[in-house]
DNA sequence: CTTGACCTTCCTGTTGCATGAAGGCTTAGT
DNA sequence: ACTAAGCCTTCATGCAACAGGAAGGTCAAG
């Protein structure tokens, strides 16, 4: 099948599929005229990539996961370690975002939000307020 | 003062300060020999940028906030709108991350994490499991 | 045999800087 | 006066993960 069909089946844009080939994540066959020619295994790889990317794994993590996918003898522990590291990373990000939110919410709360120029948010950003 | 001193006072790396000049966020004076020459007002601008960036505002949002900072007659409501939009954006990100975490945690929980090849995480990514 | 949908490669742009090259300026020490 | 360290300058390139578009080749249908 050509790249358009592979795109539909894998839910990945053609641009992304070509990019993945560029960085050696997948190597489809080529037709006589040079068109990329994907088989079912290729589509499975692409779906694997689509799923792992959508779960927040980076390209390099996906590359690692793919190599484990390819290795029928990998230990499940190796995979679990990656997943748990990603979970910890997500936790860190959430914590940081919550902290930012608290700060912004405190600033917004003190701001009248009217048409007057007095604005605690700007004052804070300018370093004019106590911390 | 030269860029090194401005960097210390603003907590921004010199590379970042030059970059901000490149994208027209700040325009310091120049000495006879071509060195950038920052005054107190410049340092205030830089600190303003440092604070707003650290609160998660994008460069373009910072540009907007700076223009409000420069405009002594701005309405505080204009600033509040930006802050609240950012808070909403943070909420969206947190929600998405929590959702990812739930999915990953469910996968990891089912994975034995031993030295056997059977791995529910890989199976899921490969699309071999029900959803 | 032409139209139009699909395909190809290649180049540039995105965000917010970081890294490094090649060279000029300044200041302190000898 | 000279020199070495440590500033400073500009310009070019790279990162992640693609997206958009130009210029041109290919394929199936009418």
């Amino acid at each position: 099948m050509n790249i358009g069909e592979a795109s539909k089946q894998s839910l990945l844009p053609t641009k992304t599929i070509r990019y993945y080939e560029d960085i050696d994540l997948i190597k489809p066959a080529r037709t006589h005229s040079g068109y990329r020619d994907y088989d079912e295994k290729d589509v499975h790889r692409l779906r694997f990539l689509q799923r792992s990317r959508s779960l927040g794994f980076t390209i390099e993590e996906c590359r690692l996961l793919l190599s484990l996918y390819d290795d029928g003898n990998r230990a499940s522990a190796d995979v679990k370690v990656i997943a748990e590291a990603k979970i910890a990373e997500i936790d860190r990000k959430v914590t940081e975002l919550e902290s930012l939110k608290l700060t912004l919410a405190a600033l917004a709360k003190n701001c009248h939000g009217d048409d007057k120029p007095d604005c605690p948010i700007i004052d804070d950003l300018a370093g004019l307020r106590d911390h």
Side-chain angles (χ1 to χ4, degrees), chain A:
Chain A
M1 82 190 71
N2 64 22
I3 199 172
E5 183 60 26
S7 169
K8 273 177 203 155
Q9 292 192 24
S10 66
L11 307 181
L12 287 171
T14 60
K15 286 282 186 188
T16 301
I17 296 178
R18 287 197 197 93
Y19 172 66
Y20 287 171
E21 181 175 350
D22 215 45
I23 60 175
D24 299 316
L25 285 178
I26 189 166
K27 268 180 205 164
R30 295 284 181 144
T31 65
H32 163 69
S33 61
Y35 281 23
R36 289 168 177 84
D37 188 20
Y38 299 86
D39 61 20
E40 294 304 320
K41 281 190 62 176
D42 291 326
V43 171
H44 277 145
R45 268 183 108 71
L46 291 173
R47 294 219 58 177
F48 186 102
L49 286 166
Q50 189 273 327
R51 282 173 209 252
S52 31
R53 284 290 296 135
S54 73
L55 283 177
F57 291 103
T58 67
I59 291 283
E60 289 314 308
E61 285 163 344
C62 289
R63 193 189 298 280
L64 185 52
L65 288 170
L66 261 185
S67 75
L68 294 173
Y69 168 66
D70 288 338
D71 177 6
N73 293 321
R74 86 259 144 176
S76 68
D78 292 344
V79 183
K80 192 168 185 174
V81 162
I82 300 174
E84 289 181 337
K86 185 55 71 177
I87 290 172
E89 196 182 319
I90 290 174
D91 276 338
R92 283 194 298 279
K93 281 187 191 169
V94 168
T95 301
E96 194 187 340
L97 287 173
E98 294 288 11
S99 162
L100 284 179
K101 184 185 165 183
L102 279 179
T103 304
L104 283 174
L107 287 175
K109 190 184 169 195
N110 287 330
C111 177
H112 299 303
D114 55 22
D115 58 357
K116 293 177 194 153
D118 176 48
C119 178
I121 301 174
I122 289 284
D123 288 352
D124 183 278
L125 292 175
L128 297 179
R129 298 174 78 88
D130 302 336
H131 283 282

